[in-house]
């Protein structure tokens, strides 16, 4: 069974540019989560989809971040315009409905210069 | 707001030795997770602890949960080099139903020296 995949693995962009990160959850997992780890800090929750609906987006830092999950399959996280403080590793995770365990992808390392 | 504190943040130990990583959290929860991360890789689920007094063991690692003390421990027995990685604990503040957001500790970077 394929795990959670994320693309790209690394992205280097300039301040003010736009970047879109993609996450493909494990097939059949209705829950999809985005997390972020800024250097030296904890992994922080960003938002949670149940199928295509946003269940909780309380962790989204500001309106420069837009997450979508059209059709309830893969998800994208767009940062527009990117700022220096957006640099970090963005993790995606998925889980089955009413199951406790979240499965994480390898992350996308975003560097904003 | 739920806070999760791990200690130590860095741990260097010799092969064959024992050690414990501690995870304290600030509000009531009975669901705690331990993850392992190798550099550049996914977070790999090690243990899911779902009730007070839960103890789980896998190889040289043993995790326990004391919900009254709001404390989980990850005990390493007779460490080997392959255990070198970063270990995270995470707490799910939700008490019913499926998983929602996890609140993570900062992670413990473990280095096992030959």
């Amino acid at each position: 069974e394929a795990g959670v995949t994320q693309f790209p693995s690394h992205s280097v962009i300039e301040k003010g540019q736009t970047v879109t990160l993609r996450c493909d959850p494990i097939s059949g997992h209705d829950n999809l989560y985005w997390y972020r780890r800024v250097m030296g800090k904890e992994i922080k929750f960003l938002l949670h989809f149940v199928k295509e609906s946003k269940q909780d987006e309380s962790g989204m830092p500001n309106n420069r971040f837009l997450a979508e999950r059209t059709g309830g399959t893969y998800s994208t996280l767009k940062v527009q315009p990117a700022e220096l403080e957006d640099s970090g590793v963005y993790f995606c995770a998925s889980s089955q409905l009413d199951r406790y365990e979240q499965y994480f992808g390898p992350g996308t390392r975003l560097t904003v210069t | 707001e739920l806070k999760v504190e791990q200690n130590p943040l860095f741990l260097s130990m010799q092969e064959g030795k024992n050690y414990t990583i501690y995870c304290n959290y600030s509000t009531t929860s009975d669901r705690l997770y331990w993850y392992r991360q190798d550099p550049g890789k996914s977070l790999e689920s090690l243990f899911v602890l779902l009730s007070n007094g839960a103890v789980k063991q896998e190889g040289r690692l043993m995790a326990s949960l004391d919900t009254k003390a709001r404390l989980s421990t990850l005990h390493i027995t007779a460490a080997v080099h392959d255990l070198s990685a970063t270990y995270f604990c995470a707490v799910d503040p939700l008490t019913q139903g499926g998983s929602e957001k996890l609140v993570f500790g900062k992670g413990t970077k473990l280095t096992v020296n030959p």
Side-chain angles (χ1 to χ4, degrees), chain B residues 1-32:
Chain B
E1 180 187 344
L2 174 60
K3 292 195 184 298
V4 179
E5 291 191 4
Q6 271 182 254
N7 69 84
L9 298 183
F10 298 92
L11 177 55
S12 180
M13 55 191 298
Q14 295 293 321
E15 279 191 328
K17 298 293 187 182
N18 304 333
Y19 209 85
T20 300
I21 299 170
Y22 297 88
C23 177
N24 290 89
Y25 53 98
S26 60
T27 63
T28 301
S29 174
D30 54 5
R31 284 194 276 181
L32 190 136

Side-chain angles (χ1 to χ4, degrees), chain A residues 49-67:
Chain A
F49 284 100
V50 178
K51 299 184 182 179
E52 67 274 12
S53 299
K54 290 177 185 173
Q55 180 80 3
D56 182 354
E57 52 184 328
S58 61
M60 295 287 264
N62 51 60
N63 59 10
R64 295 186 293 103
F65 289 76
L66 175 64

Side-chain angles (χ1 to χ4, degrees), chain A residues 31 33 35 37 40-43 45 48 55-56 58 91 95 98-102 104-106, chain B residues 1 4 31 33 35 37 40-43 45 48 50 88 97-102 104-106:
Chain A
N31 286 315
Y33 313 82
Y35 294 86
R37 188 181 193 197
K41 306 274 187 153
E42 298 90 340
I43 299 170
F45 168 83
H48 169 206
Q55 180 80 3
D56 182 354
S58 61
F91 292 100
S95 70
D98 298 324
R99 303 289 294 188
Y100 302 119
E101 196 159 0
Q102 295 184 22
F104 280 76
Chain B
E1 180 187 344
V4 179
R31 284 194 276 181
Y33 306 74
Y35 287 90
Q37 187 187 28
K41 301 292 179 79
S42 300
L43 276 74
S45 178
V48 181
L50 299 176
F88 293 93
S99 172
E100 298 211 353
K101 60 183 174 186
L102 299 183
F104 281 84
K106 285 189 174 182

Side-chain angles (χ1 to χ4, degrees), chain B residues 70-89:
Chain B
R70 298 177 187 169
L71 171 68
S72 180
T73 61
L74 180 67
H75 187 72
I76 302 155
T77 302
V80 292
H81 179 70
D82 285 352
L83 289 180
S84 298
T86 299
Y87 293 84
F88 293 93
C89 67

